[in-house]
Amino acid sequence: MIDNLLLGFSTIATFPALFAIVAGVLIGIICGVLPGLSASTAVALMVPFTFGMDPVVSIVLLVSVYLAGEYGGSITAIAIGVPGTPAAAATMLDGYELTKQGKPGLALTTSVVASSIGGMIGAIILFCFSEPLANVALSFGAPEYFALAVFGLAIISSLASDNLKKGFIVMFIGLFLKTIGLDPFSGEERFTFGVPKLMDGLGFIPALIGLFAMASVFTDIDKATAKSRTIALSFAMPKIRQLLSMWKVYLHSSILGSIIGVLPGAGATIASFICYNEVKRFSKKKDQFGKGCLEGVAAPESGNNAVVGGSLVPLLTLGIPGSGTAAVLIGALMLHDIQPGPLLFQTNGNIVYGIFAGLFVACLAQLFFGLIGVPVWIKVISAPKALLLPVIASISVVGSYSYNNSIVDVWVMLGFGLLGYLLKKFNYPVSPIILALVLGGILEENFRRSLMISEGDFSIFVTHPISAVLLLFAVLSLLSPILFNRLAKVKS
Amino acid sequence: MLLKKMIAVCTFAVSALTITPAMAAYPEKPITLVCWSSPGSGHDLMARYIAKLGEKHIGQPIVVVNKKGGKGKVAMSYVLNQKSDGYVIMTNTRSMTKRLKPTGGSIAIDSFKYISRVVQDPFVIVVKEDSPFNTMSDLVTYAKNNPNKIKVGGYSTQSVDEGLVHDIEKISKINLNYIPYKGGKEPVVAVLGGHIDVAIANPSEMMTSFQAGKLKALAVTTEDRFSPFDDTPTLKEQDINNVTVHWRGVMASKDVPDEAIQKLDNMIQKVLEEPEFKKFLNSSNMLSGYISNDKFGEYVTKQTKK
């Protein structure tokens, strides 16, 4: 084991490899910050540049971009309430609250620290447990994925705990919007109105940009005047003791994030929300979540960066991508004549252990550049709204266009912008839509696939143990806030 | 060595200078190659290799543009809406043309000219290492006694995978339970996890698990056996008279002049001979599947008519 570790670090201890890590981290952070460029798009864009590179250097570069991209999304989520990546929508819940209170430094620093720790724990888990975790990925069939999606949706009860009814209304709007496109089994068109672009459904990234970025522009136009500034911001940073005291949150979320990362198809967004929910469930200051709680920033960030290590497990051991980004990585590996799969550890051990080591070093680089960046970001968001809003609006348009080179996506973005604006105006929570859009497809597809496999027998969902347990958790997590409320009422 | 290279470059430059004016004008500006899948996919990589290696053969840069959506419809309608001068061409696949009608409507098989088929991607029918099936006839016998009980996973509905399963059902007079998946690798994962019995997969999707001994291959769907599945008989050898391969190629809108089509076809033929392209095919487990433009159109029409 020590030999392998040394092999890994010696593989990447070359100037080009270290340079690739630093460059990858910087590129990743920048792509993460720009809405529309998610971590997976950033990696896909980098692939052509790696054609001529040494395999180790190119793969380390891509992994660094992936890791830092997942972190970078949280910066804008905290700073201006616009998640740069889908997973950062969970970070925004508490992060942006802190900015509104004039304390962005607290959230930004916590985010980079939690991300980097999450990434490192993810790398360690990848190194130590790749073999057993690969079996977890295989044990998930259609009913298990369905149950996971139900469990994910049940989080709404905690995201919208102050008004469950509104939360559910928004969730069902999201689930409905997710049905637009081709039916996954019969291939029939649903609500596409003859627009070919809509056959693939509403783009998720444009929807995200609309719901948060464009909607915040609309909302601010409603209120702001030309001279209004964002609230006075302090450069206050969290105390080291404060950061250290959250070690349980980092550990808990990183382990959870790695496991979710292992499951093909689940990915960082689900991990972020589940980690947020679980940390809140076990936290002593439950009532502070959603009002600017540092734990609420740390949990999703540790979680979504741990996903990176986790998603590499099925990639390296089975040749199956654990996330959309990992799918792109497989393509890049194959370009270099490296077949990810069960034999990779024997045939290309240096690459496998080089990736572990690279991921680890990339976390350190991310911590370093992330911390340097914090004051810069605070400066940026201190700009007057009259400057900030047009910039956000134009980045939103460009970002959603560049997602697929399609003007339809810009309309989708604007539509979601309007929806987000209306929801905010009438005090409905926005995040349940994100959950519904992420999970709706997994939910429907695996529900129907399960029934095809069982020939219409519904008991398949409870006779499979993993699925039964997840469904039970879902019911408990749905009912718990209602029960707690009852209890509180009885007490008082 | 250096001298040799210099001479080569000079001769190339001189010949380019002398030959170019003699040939017709096309192409006098960069060519756009529209690809209907996302960057980084196998399909996209093929387009990028054609672009990279084709430039020196056609004398103009080729730019790959991704127009994703609607199972290729977005890219097709984009190409059909451009000037038919041969400067905007696109990649195509069997699954894409399979969904089109032979004629009529805004997009049909006869809206295009087919430049050349580039690669073919055969199918391998696989089961888990501990499956009771060792040959197709084991599978057929079991299916005859247990209709609809064997769960066969493949990529998507109305796809080439599903067509293959239905063909096998028809020829062997059996009923299988076809389960569509969203990606090509998912059915293989489901077989490995024991969730379904059989998967229809392209070599690239199952190669590593097969080499590690976690999968057994029941049959390949080509005319002849191919490496590294030399021990796996074809469907034909097992009395199932069927050959099904997935393919990828290049096409242009139907009004593009034949001369341009011919030049593009020649370019692709040369690209296929490049060692770098051969290496790409090898590493992505695809076979060369060149069919020239005079036969490609007929081939596509034959596969579409139902």
Side-chain angles (χ1 to χ4, degrees):
Chain A
M1 201 143 171
I2 299 290
D3 287 353
N4 292 335
L5 204 60
L6 287 176
L7 172 67
F9 279 100
S10 64
T11 310
I12 61 150
T14 62
F15 177 72
L18 292 174
F19 180 77
I21 291 175
V22 171
V25 165
L26 289 175
I27 293 168
I29 293 179
I30 291 166
C31 290
V33 166
L34 295 172
L37 278 177
S38 62
S40 71
T41 328
V43 174
L45 288 174
M46 291 306 296
V47 169
F49 290 100
T50 64
F51 280 172
M53 290 182 196
D54 172 74
V56 172
V57 175
S58 76
I59 216 66
V60 162
L61 171 73
L62 295 175
V63 170
S64 308
V65 172
Y66 182 12
L67 180 87
E70 291 295 354
Y71 155 67
S74 75
I75 297 172
T76 41
I78 293 168
I80 50 177
V82 178
T85 54
T91 316
M92 200 196 78
L93 296 170
D94 280 279
Y96 188 45
E97 284 304 316
L98 281 164
T99 303
K100 281 196 213 157
Q101 294 162 18
K103 297 179 278 195
L106 293 185
L108 286 167
T109 312
T110 307
S111 153
V112 67
V113 171
S115 289
S116 305
I117 294 179
M120 278 187 224
I121 297 181
I124 295 171
I125 288 176
L126 170 68
F127 180 71
C128 302
F129 303 109
S130 51
E131 206 66 19
L133 278 174
N135 291 326
V136 173
L138 285 183
S139 64
F140 265 65
E144 287 81 7
Y145 276 111
F146 167 76
L148 179 70
V150 173
F151 177 61
L153 285 176
I155 291 172
I156 283 172
S157 68
S158 107
L159 284 181
S161 48
D162 42 341
N163 195 333
L164 216 48
K165 239 182 263 164
K166 282 186 173 177
F168 274 102
I169 292 174
V170 175
M171 176 186 90
F172 281 113
I173 294 178
L175 286 177
F176 162 69
L177 291 173
K178 186 66 202 174
T179 61
I180 295 177
L182 287 184
D183 181 299
F185 292 94
S186 72
E188 292 300 320
E189 295 184 25
R190 301 192 295 206
F191 309 110
T192 58
F193 299 100
V195 180
K197 186 80 224 333
L198 288 183
M199 283 165 68
D200 292 339
L202 300 171
F204 181 55
I205 300 288
L208 185 80
I209 298 176
L211 279 174
F212 294 104
M214 212 57 206
S216 77
V217 172
F218 289 152
T219 312
D220 276 344
I221 291 173
D222 229 10
K223 296 181 204 147
T225 59
K227 277 183 192 157
S228 64
R229 272 179 175 270
T230 22
I231 345 85
L233 299 175
S234 78
F235 280 78
M237 298 293 157
K239 294 195 182 65
I240 292 182
R241 198 154 44 90
Q242 223 172 345
L243 290 171
L244 289 179
S245 70
M246 287 192 289
W247 65 273
K248 264 190 199 154
V249 175
Y250 306 138
L251 196 65
H252 185 171
S253 301
S254 304
I255 293 174
L256 211 54
S258 312
I259 293 174
I260 296 169
V262 168
L263 300 174
T269 314
I270 301 178
S272 288
F273 277 103
I274 290 187
C275 288
Y276 181 85
N277 189 48
E278 291 309 304
V279 166
K280 179 178 171 184
R281 190 200 306 274
F282 293 107
S283 171
K284 280 178 201 127
K285 15 184 186 174
K286 232 178 242 132
D287 49 324
Q288 283 180 32
F289 274 75
K291 291 171 194 149
C293 173
L294 281 186
E295 290 184 6
V297 175
E301 279 308 307
S302 283
N304 67 37
N305 270 52
V307 163
V308 176
S311 72
L312 291 174
V313 168
L315 184 152
L316 296 174
T317 54
L318 302 167
I320 315 162
S323 66
T325 320
V328 181
L329 284 178
I330 288 195
L333 279 169
M334 283 172 54
L335 272 180
H336 290 288
D337 232 353
I338 301 161
Q339 290 281 353
L343 299 176
L344 186 66
F345 283 77
Q346 286 132 50
T347 53
N348 291 83
N350 62 329
I351 300 240
V352 179
Y353 298 110
I355 291 176
F356 294 140
L359 200 54
F360 208 84
V361 176
C363 288
L364 295 175
Q366 171 181 294
L367 185 64
F368 178 72
F369 290 108
L371 286 176
I372 290 184
V374 170
V376 181
W377 303 120
I378 299 179
K379 256 279 158 312
V380 170
I381 49 178
S382 314
K385 288 231 157 153
L387 282 178
L388 209 53
L389 294 185
V391 171
I392 296 178
S394 42
I395 289 180
S396 300
V397 173
V398 175
S400 41
Y401 181 80
S402 64
Y403 169 63
N404 240 334
N405 292 337
S406 158
I407 198 75
V408 178
D409 285 324
V410 178
W411 291 114
V412 170
M413 183 276 290
L414 287 173
F416 273 98
L418 197 63
L419 179 65
Y421 166 71
L422 291 174
L423 291 175
K424 263 191 198 170
K425 184 144 185 131
F426 297 103
N427 252 331
Y428 282 77
V430 179
S431 40
I433 294 201
I434 294 297
L435 267 185
L437 289 177
V438 172
L439 294 167
I442 304 178
L443 186 80
E444 181 196 351
E445 220 181 284
N446 288 294
F447 178 70
R448 292 170 66 181
R449 190 173 293 131
S450 304
L451 290 180
M452 283 172 104
I453 289 176
S454 73
E455 293 175 75
D457 186 356
F458 281 86
S459 68
I460 187 169
F461 298 113
V462 285
T463 50
H464 286 229
I466 298 179
S467 143
V469 169
L470 281 172
L471 286 175
L472 184 71
F473 280 160
V475 173
L476 288 180
S477 109
L478 262 184
L479 293 180
S480 62
I482 302 172
L483 291 179
F484 277 124
N485 279 348
R486 280 279 156 81
L487 270 179
K489 264 183 200 159
V490 169
K491 266 185 194 165
S492 63
Chain B
M1 195 57 200
L2 188 70
L3 190 69
K4 257 190 196 168
K5 262 192 193 161
M6 292 272 283
I7 293 172
V9 169
C10 290
T11 10
F12 182 76
V14 171
S15 62
L17 281 174
T18 46
I19 293 171
T20 315
M23 293 205 295
Y26 181 84
E28 48 190 6
K29 58 177 186 190
I31 299 166
T32 304
L33 177 58
V34 179
C35 168
W36 69 278
S37 70
S38 42
S41 65
H43 186 76
D44 173 72
L45 290 176
M46 178 193 88
R48 288 184 194 275
Y49 271 99
I50 293 177
K52 186 181 165 198
L53 302 171
E55 184 175 339
K56 62 173 182 244
H57 295 299
I58 202 145
Q60 283 289 346
I62 303 171
V63 186
V64 176
V65 173
N66 297 84
K67 292 269 175 199
K68 219 179 116 189
K71 310 248 169 198
K73 271 202 176 162
V74 171
M76 286 189 275
S77 60
Y78 173 79
V79 169
L80 291 177
N81 283 326
Q82 305 297 309
K83 248 196 237 162
S84 313
D85 51 8
Y87 290 103
V88 181
I89 58 175
M90 67 180 291
T91 55
N92 63 1
T93 62
R94 178 167 178 177
S95 61
M96 181 166 117
T97 52
K98 196 181 155 71
R99 289 189 170 87
L100 299 180
K101 286 186 192 120
T103 186
S106 58
I107 303 175
I109 289 292
D110 64 2
S111 313
F112 298 98
K113 263 185 190 159
Y114 297 84
I115 300 171
S116 30
R117 191 178 84 160
V118 183
V119 302
Q120 52 171 331
D121 208 355
F123 291 98
V124 187
I125 300 173
V126 293
V127 292
K128 210 181 165 191
E129 52 176 334
D130 56 3
S131 161
F133 307 138
N134 288 310
T135 60
M136 282 307 283
S137 73
D138 292 347
L139 188 146
V140 169
T141 316
Y142 186 86
K144 282 213 165 123
N145 299 326
N146 305 280
N148 266 325
K149 282 283 176 259
I150 301 181
K151 289 162 266 185
V152 185
Y155 165 70
S156 195
T157 45
Q158 299 174 35
S159 58
V160 186
D161 301 40
E162 188 177 14
L164 170 64
V165 173
H166 289 329
D167 285 346
I168 294 175
E169 286 180 317
K170 227 180 279 166
I171 296 168
S172 312
K173 300 194 178 64
I174 51 172
N175 278 315
L176 303 167
N177 185 3
Y178 179 74
I179 318 266
Y181 284 83
K182 222 175 175 179
K185 249 182 193 156
E186 287 179 35
V188 177
V189 179
V191 163
L192 287 171
H195 306 290
I196 57 172
D197 307 301
V198 184
I200 308 291
N202 297 119
S204 61
E205 291 155 357
M206 43 71 69
M207 188 69 90
T208 50
S209 308
F210 175 74
Q211 282 169 341
K214 294 185 191 277
L215 289 173
K216 284 191 290 193
L218 297 186
V220 291
T221 62
T222 38
E223 194 74 48
D224 302 300
R225 295 187 189 195
F226 63 95
S227 172
F229 304 99
D230 304 287
D231 295 332
T232 308
T234 61
L235 280 177
K236 274 188 162 177
E237 286 177 58
Q238 306 186 61
D239 294 326
I240 300 173
N241 192 8
N242 179 286
V243 172
T244 305
V245 291
H246 193 65
W247 50 256
R248 301 184 173 115
V250 182
M251 66 184 185
S253 106
K254 68 167 187 291
D255 298 320
V256 171
D258 284 328
E259 205 196 325
I261 299 280
Q262 192 56 52
K263 275 189 184 160
L264 289 164
D265 186 16
N266 291 346
M267 171 197 83
I268 287 171
Q269 202 180 352
K270 282 179 195 145
V271 166
L272 272 159
E273 283 159 17
E274 292 270 345
E276 199 178 340
F277 198 81
K278 284 185 179 155
K279 200 184 141 213
F280 157 66
L281 287 183
N282 203 15
S283 67
S284 49
N285 294 305
M286 285 190 279
L287 307 173
S288 158
Y290 178 72
I291 295 181
S292 58
N293 78 79
D294 47 328
K295 300 200 188 83
F296 189 28
E298 206 180 302
Y299 175 81
V300 174
T301 321
K302 220 170 75 190
Q303 280 183 344
T304 325
K305 250 184 232 162
K306 278 264 159 95

